[in-house]
Amino acid sequence: MADRRPFISLEEFLFEAPLYEQVRLPGTEDELKSIEKQPMDGYCPECGERSMFLRRGKLLNRGDWGTARGSNDMTLQCVRNEKHFIYFHVLFVKWGLQKIGQYPSFATIAQGSVKEYRRLLSKEDGSELTKAIGLAAHDAGIGAFIYIRRIFERIIRKCFDEHKDAEGWTEDQYLVRMDDKILLMKDHLPDFLIQNRKLYKILSNGVHNLTETDCLAFFSVARESIMHILEEEKRKKDEKARRAALQMAIAEHSATKPSV
Ligand SMILES: [Zn+2]
């Protein structure tokens, strides 16, 4: 059986875990504390943006999470509009938890939250990330991994193309293992990607060797990581463009108004 992923927080479990993903029971102090956190942050499909939510109905207190069995309902109410609700149905078993139902669907919430990131993503990345989420929401973990891997490969290729002339790289240098490509471009790639380049190995392993369940168990980590990488990449580019624009403005100013 695949390793079940840790609980992390109630917020993360409710908003980020696809249906049927197997998650361990909360164990650490932070995980247990997260059960009582109010309000929770997450994407509200009705508001069309991130909002805060309060838990409604009978709350299972943190001490009961280890011994509860069977299914439990959890309801979240949006603080921006009291008519916005998200409903979850959670199964408690000896080894942990599974979301076995929710409304609005996981895909609606996850795709909505990608929409928020859309302005940071290229059209192709945004559309493939949405496809990956849709596949994971329908238990197709391997397919979801393929799309995430394609986005990853595109980030690497783009970086190579953007810098090859200035760095004097040849196409031969691109024909090496992914790890070596990343190290070659370490001055230009997002730090998170360089530090977590193992992610590519996991994604490739998923496509070739892992089961659907294995891939699903890791999917939310893969998705969050790739979003983080895309954000960092965009931020890096914006910073560079801003610096270049400022430099140019300063140079122009000095050229027209010589210093005394
Ligand atoms: Zn709302």
Side-chain angles (χ1 to χ4, degrees):
M1 178 54 78
D3 271 351
R4 293 174 181 113
R5 76 168 178 94
F7 176 75
I8 305 175
S9 70
L10 183 57
E11 195 173 86
E12 208 272 346
F13 173 66
L14 293 179
F15 283 96
E16 308 294 341
L19 285 191
Y20 312 116
E21 184 179 20
Q22 300 180 347
V23 174
R24 292 202 290 271
L25 283 170
T28 66
E29 187 50 33
D30 280 351
E31 289 178 350
L32 286 165
K33 231 192 268 167
S34 78
I35 295 169
E36 284 156 0
K37 186 189 166 206
Q38 292 264 43
M40 272 186 245
D41 295 323
Y43 180 81
C44 176
E46 299 270 5
C47 287
E49 58 186 313
R50 281 186 84 75
S51 183
M52 283 184 280
F53 292 87
L54 294 169
R55 286 176 57 174
R56 292 289 175 237
K58 190 172 160 283
L59 303 183
L60 202 59
N61 68 45
R62 60 181 260 180
D64 295 331
W65 279 58
T67 50
R69 297 288 178 268
S71 65
N72 252 280
D73 289 323
M74 290 180 203
T75 303
L76 299 183
Q77 185 179 32
C78 176
V79 299
R80 288 167 183 263
N81 185 325
E82 58 181 23
K83 291 187 181 129
H84 298 170
F85 289 97
I86 306 181
Y87 305 96
F88 299 95
H89 204 48
V90 179
L91 183 68
F92 286 72
V93 282
K94 212 168 134 199
W95 48 255
L97 303 167
Q98 243 179 340
K99 264 194 320 197
I100 54 172
Q102 74 173 74
Y103 182 82
S105 73
F106 170 73
T108 304
I109 293 176
Q111 287 169 356
S113 73
V114 170
K115 224 180 278 162
E116 265 193 301
Y117 281 91
R118 274 279 168 97
R119 64 196 166 82
L120 299 175
L121 309 182
S122 73
K123 211 172 154 205
E124 208 172 9
D125 290 339
S127 128
E128 294 200 350
L129 192 54
T130 308
K131 277 184 199 156
I133 291 167
L135 285 168
H138 290 95
D139 292 345
I142 299 172
F145 261 42
I146 293 175
Y147 279 114
I148 300 281
R149 195 173 74 152
R150 279 168 56 90
I151 298 172
F152 192 106
E153 284 167 350
R154 209 152 40 229
I155 294 168
I156 304 298
R157 182 71 232 189
K158 244 181 4 203
C159 181
F160 186 83
D161 288 342
E162 276 169 21
H163 300 284
K164 65 180 175 190
D165 292 341
E167 294 279 359
W169 294 330
T170 63
E171 274 304 313
D172 280 352
Q173 282 171 285
Y174 197 76
L175 303 173
V176 293
R177 289 181 320 138
M178 182 56 87
D179 232 35
D180 296 330
K181 276 187 236 200
I182 293 173
L183 292 175
L184 175 74
M185 294 182 249
K186 65 180 185 326
D187 294 338
H188 306 288
L189 286 167
D191 294 338
F192 183 84
L193 186 152
I194 298 162
Q195 283 154 19
N196 296 283
R197 54 186 187 276
K198 250 189 259 157
L199 175 65
Y200 186 76
K201 230 176 256 170
I202 299 173
L203 293 171
S204 298
N205 196 26
V207 172
H208 299 294
N209 303 316
L210 301 180
T211 63
E212 293 282 19
T213 319
D214 292 331
C215 290
L216 280 180
F218 188 74
F219 179 71
S220 46
V221 177
R223 187 195 64 198
E224 284 296 306
S225 303
I226 209 79
M227 279 162 96
H228 189 72
I229 290 167
L230 289 166
E231 270 180 84
E232 200 183 322
E233 191 201 22
K234 174 85 168 50
R235 210 171 37 235
K236 243 182 160 166
K237 269 191 194 148
D238 287 350
E239 263 172 34
K240 216 173 142 186
R242 195 169 156 70
R243 256 203 316 268
L246 289 170
Q247 250 166 24
M248 203 188 288
I250 293 168
E252 272 172 22
H253 185 86
S254 335
T256 52
K257 294 199 171 68
S259 52
V260 282

